[in-house]
């Protein structure tokens, strides 16, 4: 299947407004799925493969994953200025809205309807996160070794209930080693990069 061409990089103000809109309208998690839908499928600023790579990188760094992802996308599209603008767009307007909503929620915190609405928002966020996980798994399952690492990680965490940090401490270096060997094999001397 032929991949449709990507659009040209946006201006800094367009990038800021795009992340601001995501920041102020996202509730309850699942934001990485929404970011993918917005920047990969709707705006076509980056490819799905680039997005998945950026998502993996953003989750490997400390801090808030979606802010790390915004910084990566901003940098990918517009360099250092893009990274700064994307981070500000993601954080600053959303912080103002969060403060206003916290004040408003304190007025209706006793209402059963407010709690039902929050439960509905959480369910939608789980759906977005599931979509993101399935898409990422689709890209990651491109060989026996990645499938075995993924299955082993899943079994260790969900079946055997091992410590998450310990499992990641073992699985992450294995994944990096597999990726390094693949890149090395792909770019042997004499083969074009």
């Amino acid at each position: 299947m032929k991949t449709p061409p990507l659009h040209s990089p946006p201006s800094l103000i367009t990038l800021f407004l795009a992340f601001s809109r995501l920041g102020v309208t996202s509730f309850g998690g699942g934001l990485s799925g929404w970011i993918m839908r917005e920047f990969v499928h709707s705006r076509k600023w980056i490819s799905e493969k680039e997005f998945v790579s950026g998502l993996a990188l953003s989750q490997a760094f400390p801090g808030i994953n979606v802010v790390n992802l915004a910084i990566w996308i901003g940098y990918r599209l517009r360099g250092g200025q893009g990274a700064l603008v994307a981070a500000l767009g993601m954080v600053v307007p959303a912080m103002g809205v969060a403060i206003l909503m916290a004040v408003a929620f304190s007025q209706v915190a006793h209402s059963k309807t407010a709690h039902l609405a929050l439960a509905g928002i959480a369910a939608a966020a789980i759906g977005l996160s599931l979509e993101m996980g399935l898409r990422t798994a689709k890209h990651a399952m491109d060989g026996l070794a990645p499938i075995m690492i993924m299955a082993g990680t899943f079994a260790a965490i969900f079946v055997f209930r091992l410590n998450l940090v310990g499992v990641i401490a073992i699985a992450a270096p294995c994944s990096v080693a597999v990726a390094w060997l693949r890149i090395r094999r792909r770019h042997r001397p004499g083969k074009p990069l």
Side-chain angles (χ1 to χ4, degrees):
M1 188 169 97
K2 194 171 182 179
T3 305
L6 299 177
H7 293 174
S8 59
S11 67
L12 290 174
I13 187 67
T14 303
L15 191 62
F16 178 83
L17 292 174
F19 275 106
S20 296
R21 189 172 74 85
L22 287 173
V24 299
T25 57
S26 61
F27 299 91
L31 187 54
S32 56
W34 196 348
I35 292 174
M36 182 180 73
R37 184 170 292 179
E38 181 73 19
F39 292 103
V40 174
H41 299 135
S42 296
R43 298 178 186 261
K44 300 185 187 317
W45 286 345
I46 59 174
S47 70
E48 190 168 312
K49 189 172 184 178
E50 288 175 313
F51 179 85
V52 171
S53 296
L55 179 65
L57 186 64
S58 67
Q59 291 176 340
F61 286 118
I64 303 169
N65 290 344
V66 292
V67 175
N68 291 345
L69 182 60
I71 291 170
W72 184 87
I73 291 173
Y75 183 80
R76 172 72 183 77
L77 294 172
R78 300 290 299 185
Q81 290 179 332
L84 177 64
V85 163
L88 291 174
M90 180 61 83
V91 172
V92 174
M95 186 171 55
V97 171
I99 291 170
L100 291 175
M101 290 190 72
V103 171
F105 185 74
S106 68
Q107 303 299 316
V108 295
H110 62 280
S111 168
K112 187 177 178 180
T113 304
H115 290 279
L116 288 174
L118 291 176
I121 292 169
I126 290 170
L128 283 170
S129 295
L130 182 61
E131 179 198 12
M132 188 70 246
L134 292 175
R135 285 184 182 273
T136 304
K138 185 179 86 177
H139 283 281
M141 291 192 304
D142 61 348
L144 182 60
I147 291 173
M148 289 177 60
I149 292 171
M150 191 181 314
T153 303
F154 181 84
I157 293 172
F158 291 104
V159 178
F160 300 110
R161 301 194 181 274
L162 298 178
N163 181 286
L164 178 65
V165 175
V167 172
I168 291 174
I170 294 171
C174 292
S175 295
V176 171
V178 168
W180 180 77
L181 288 172
R182 285 179 161 194
I183 292 170
R184 188 173 172 201
R185 190 178 313 143
R186 197 177 306 146
H187 300 297
R188 282 183 183 150
K191 283 190 170 184
L193 292 177

